[in-house]
Amino acid sequence: MSKSIQEINKEFQDADKAERKALIEKYSSDDRKGVQKIIEKHIKEEKKLSLELERLDKMKFFEKKYDNNKYIVGIDEAGRGPLAGPVVAGAVILPKDCEILYLNDSKKVSATKRELLYKEITQKAVAYGVGIVSPERIDEINILQATYEAMREAVANMKIKPDMALVDAVTIPDLGCKQVGIIKGDAKSVSIAAASIIAKVTRDHIMIEMDKIYPQYGFASNKGYGGAKIHIDALRKYGSCPIHRRTFISNFI
């Protein structure tokens, strides 16, 4: 007696990659529409996975290029442009054989997916660190220097000292190890992409907490950026709050 469609579907769901391939061959001659739909679905999923693994492999180009270094750290920041809140940097060392599906530049990933990636990165990373520089410090030394400070702090907060740093776009003064600046590195390097996720999620969490203290500015949704009408309207109505960057808001109040 042949298996039911539900039983076959469960077989596919419980199978690993090699087993699914065997199941596709096994049931390819089953002409039931439901079975063929199951096969079609899994063929599409395998193709999607294959393309994703190919994309990730390309994003390991710089990690492979410098793999004579034992510990390669990716570094990126979040929050250079907002009118309010800190600038946050992430630093991540991934295992050389690390596979984190759909890892990408944080700007290309949904908020829900970023949270899932954040959890996976922190679980799989050899080491990671975060650097946070306050709005007051940004006003004191300017945003570029504050970004460098956050990046150095993120590296200093890791449990392992890196041998080589891959950095998104910039060269960090006084970092203490070799480094390579990569234009749009958060889309070209898995290590930098991981750092961008750590930085973005950490900063988003801070701004969501700030929204509870200063709800009139809409920080939970706009994260302190100036493109949101609710933020600009609130600035003009209420003035600034303690986490606004004074050097950024002169055109609005």
Side-chain angles (χ1 to χ4, degrees), residues 203-214 219-220:
R203 189 179 188 281
D204 283 358
H205 288 176
I206 291 169
M207 297 309 293
I208 289 166
E209 288 303 307
M210 290 298 100
D211 184 74
K212 296 174 184 176
I213 303 170
Y214 311 108
F219 290 147

Side-chain angles (χ1 to χ4, degrees), residues 46-60:
E46 289 298 325
K47 185 176 181 182
K48 183 181 178 183
L49 177 59
S50 179
L51 289 171
E52 173 59 13
L53 291 172
E54 187 178 320
R55 184 190 69 83
L56 283 173
D57 189 59
K58 288 178 181 176
M59 284 184 70
K60 293 178 181 178

Side-chain angles (χ1 to χ4, degrees), residues 81-236:
L83 306 180
V87 62
V88 177
V92 179
I93 299 173
L94 295 174
K96 295 199 175 184
D97 60 349
C98 189
E99 186 178 281
I100 299 176
L101 295 177
Y102 308 108
L103 177 59
N104 208 337
D105 167 10
S106 63
K107 295 183 290 297
K108 296 180 180 179
V109 180
S110 71
T112 301
K113 187 64 179 173
R114 282 197 299 267
E115 293 287 343
L116 294 171
L117 285 168
Y118 177 93
K119 186 176 181 181
E120 188 171 358
I121 291 162
T122 55
Q123 287 173 344
K124 291 183 175 179
V126 173
Y128 69 94
V130 173
I132 301 171
V133 173
S134 70
E136 294 84 0
R137 184 64 172 160
I138 292 169
D139 288 335
E140 181 184 344
I141 62 175
N142 78 46
I143 187 59
L144 179 60
Q145 295 306 316
T147 300
Y148 291 151
E149 193 167 286
M151 289 175 162
R152 288 191 292 266
E153 184 181 312
V155 172
N157 285 336
M158 291 194 303
K159 64 182 181 182
I160 292 172
K161 181 177 172 60
D163 304 298
M164 162 70 76
L166 304 177
V167 190
D168 187 32
V170 300
T171 301
I172 307 165
D174 305 315
L175 184 61
C177 70
K178 296 176 289 184
Q179 61 182 300
V180 176
I182 303 167
I183 302 299
K184 295 184 178 177
D186 45 10
K188 296 178 181 176
S189 157
V190 288
S191 302
I192 298 176
S196 80
I197 296 289
I198 294 294
K200 174 65 174 164
V201 171
T202 300
R203 189 179 188 281
D204 283 358
H205 288 176
I206 291 169
M207 297 309 293
I208 289 166
E209 288 303 307
M210 290 298 100
D211 184 74
K212 296 174 184 176
I213 303 170
Y214 311 108
Q216 64 268 40
Y217 301 99
F219 290 147
S221 59
N222 63 54
K223 307 303 186 288
Y225 283 86
K229 187 175 185 298
I230 185 176
H231 188 183
I232 300 306
D233 287 350
L235 261 176
R236 288 172 175 153

Side-chain angles (χ1 to χ4, degrees), residues 27-38:
Y27 291 111
S28 60
S29 60
D30 190 321
D31 58 5
R32 285 177 290 176
K33 192 175 286 187
V35 175
Q36 290 306 311
K37 281 188 176 180
I38 292 168

